Amino acid sequence: MRLFATLFALLLISAHVQAEALPVTEISPGIYVHQGVHEDLSEGYRGDICNVSFIVGSKGIAVIDTGGSFKIGQQLHEAVRKVSSLPILYVINTHVHPDHIFGNAAFVQDKPAFVGHSKLADAMELRKETYLRINNNWLGADFAGSEIVKPTLTVQDKLELNLGGRKLELTAYPTAHTNTDVTVLDSKTATLWTGDLLFVERTPSIDGDLKGWLAVIDQLKAVPAQQIVPGHGAVVKDGKTALNNEQRYLSTLLNDIRASIKKGEVMEKSMETAAASEKGKWVLFDIVNRRNVNTVYPGLEWE
Ligand SMILES: [Zn+2]
């Protein structure tokens, strides 16, 4: 009986230490990406909806976004360790959203620099209580161990990180998808990580400034990228087309809401009609588009 209990305890410990590795794809030499699933960020969600990546240089590793829970972070950590034993030097968060940041806790032991927008720490603090509460409700036991880990190194405008043999150029933006958006460009392969400044397949969701976001998309089109890892959806070689699709959705939404307001339609009506021409082109359209109208309409009433 005692032996059985000891064995059981050992089993529990090993299960805890050895998280299953997230499946990743090496999209270019030294660049690994795990693509999240297209589920809504709400009840029933398992913390694995955004893209998480890591980049291996000759000196060390940078992780870009960590998933929606400590558990997903551990699985990402395991995926990193299957590939390389080099030190994890940087953990970069592309923005404040919970599906991108709650795996941070799984990397604390590595003592990396946690990197984010200069406004990220404040945004995390402001949302901390709500994020912990609702994600705990949504994920239940799968959320155990998740915590807010704030940046220790911030990006004001530009920041260069050296992984050995490859440099990463980070850029911080004014309010667009959120007020904490950062992109990463790998010098060696011209791979651009946009965070949620680019959605592929999945309906873009707004939590910042629609007009600001449209302006940033123009900036992103000018980046000489060979491929883009979006915040959600497949990695794309033809970044321009993907950015054009997103710009078309967002400008349609903007124009339709403006027209709706001009006609004197209330927001509830606008939620039914705005950007209806885009339905069928995006995953999770009905849920996300309604939320977007809800976010954007009040601000446009006073234009
Ligand atoms: Zn987001």
Side-chain angles (χ1 to χ4, degrees):
M1 194 63 200
R2 190 144 176 197
L3 179 68
F4 180 75
T6 312
L7 281 173
F8 186 67
L10 279 173
L11 205 71
L12 276 181
I13 292 166
S14 65
H16 180 74
V17 172
Q18 277 187 315
E20 202 183 314
L22 273 187
V24 292
T25 306
E26 189 174 14
I27 61 164
S28 285
I31 299 180
Y32 299 81
V33 179
H34 168 78
Q35 194 186 328
V37 295
H38 292 317
E39 280 172 357
D40 188 29
L41 180 63
S42 63
E43 195 139 7
Y45 136 88
R46 303 262 55 97
D48 179 24
I49 63 169
C50 79
N51 296 335
V52 294
S53 313
F54 57 96
I55 309 164
V56 184
S58 63
K59 278 192 340 196
I61 297 165
V63 172
I64 305 180
D65 286 339
T66 56
S69 68
F70 178 61
K71 185 179 172 180
I72 297 294
Q74 275 186 313
Q75 294 178 358
L76 175 60
H77 194 280
E78 200 57 33
V80 173
R81 285 299 169 236
K82 272 175 86 173
V83 166
S84 167
S85 57
L86 286 173
I88 297 169
L89 301 173
Y90 304 103
V91 172
I92 301 163
N93 289 130
T94 59
H95 64 294
V96 70
H97 281 156
D99 48 325
H100 298 256
I101 62 161
F102 271 123
N104 284 10
F107 294 89
V108 170
Q109 68 202 21
D110 299 280
K111 300 189 169 64
F114 286 90
V115 189
H117 195 286
S118 56
K119 291 185 173 165
L120 182 62
D122 282 351
M124 282 176 163
E125 187 57 38
L126 203 66
R127 294 164 183 235
K128 184 176 176 174
E129 229 184 279
T130 313
Y131 273 7
L132 286 169
R133 181 168 41 79
I134 58 171
N135 283 277
N136 198 40
N137 287 344
W138 291 338
L139 290 157
D142 277 359
F143 196 61
S146 306
E147 51 185 290
I148 293 277
V149 179
K150 291 178 185 169
T152 54
L153 178 62
T154 61
V155 194
Q156 202 88 38
D157 177 28
K158 299 257 185 203
L159 177 71
E160 195 178 89
L161 304 177
N162 194 341
L163 298 181
R166 70 197 318 158
K167 284 177 182 159
L168 304 181
E169 186 183 80
L170 279 67
T171 306
Y173 296 85
T175 305
H177 168 67
T178 65
N179 66 339
T180 54
D181 301 314
V182 162
T183 60
V184 182
L185 182 66
D186 171 50
S187 64
K188 199 171 174 182
T189 59
T191 303
L192 177 70
W193 283 260
T194 57
D196 285 4
L197 289 171
L198 177 64
F199 283 72
V200 171
E201 299 142 20
R202 184 186 176 102
T203 314
S205 73
I206 301 155
D207 186 22
D209 180 68
L210 179 48
K211 286 173 271 180
W213 193 352
L214 284 164
V216 167
I217 292 173
D218 279 331
Q219 263 177 275
L220 294 177
K221 283 187 197 171
V223 177
Q226 290 296 316
Q227 60 185 350
I228 298 183
V229 181
H232 299 264
V235 175
V236 288
K237 296 272 181 208
D238 185 1
K240 214 151 263 180
T241 298
L243 287 162
N244 280 337
N245 287 341
E246 179 173 81
Q247 202 165 36
R248 188 198 62 234
Y249 166 70
L250 292 174
S251 51
T252 304
L253 183 69
L254 177 63
N255 292 337
D256 287 1
I257 295 175
R258 276 179 174 151
S260 196
I261 291 168
K262 215 169 169 188
K263 277 192 278 179
E265 284 175 359
V266 295
M267 184 168 78
E268 285 65 28
K269 172 82 181 159
S270 189
M271 283 164 93
E272 304 294 333
T273 55
S277 61
E278 289 287 309
K279 190 182 158 85
K281 294 177 180 155
W282 302 94
V283 178
L284 295 168
F285 183 84
D286 288 332
I287 302 172
V288 178
N289 187 62
R290 287 179 69 87
R291 274 187 212 140
N292 285 341
V293 177
N294 200 49
T295 304
V296 173
Y297 183 107
L300 293 180
E301 267 186 301
W302 309 104
E303 264 189 332

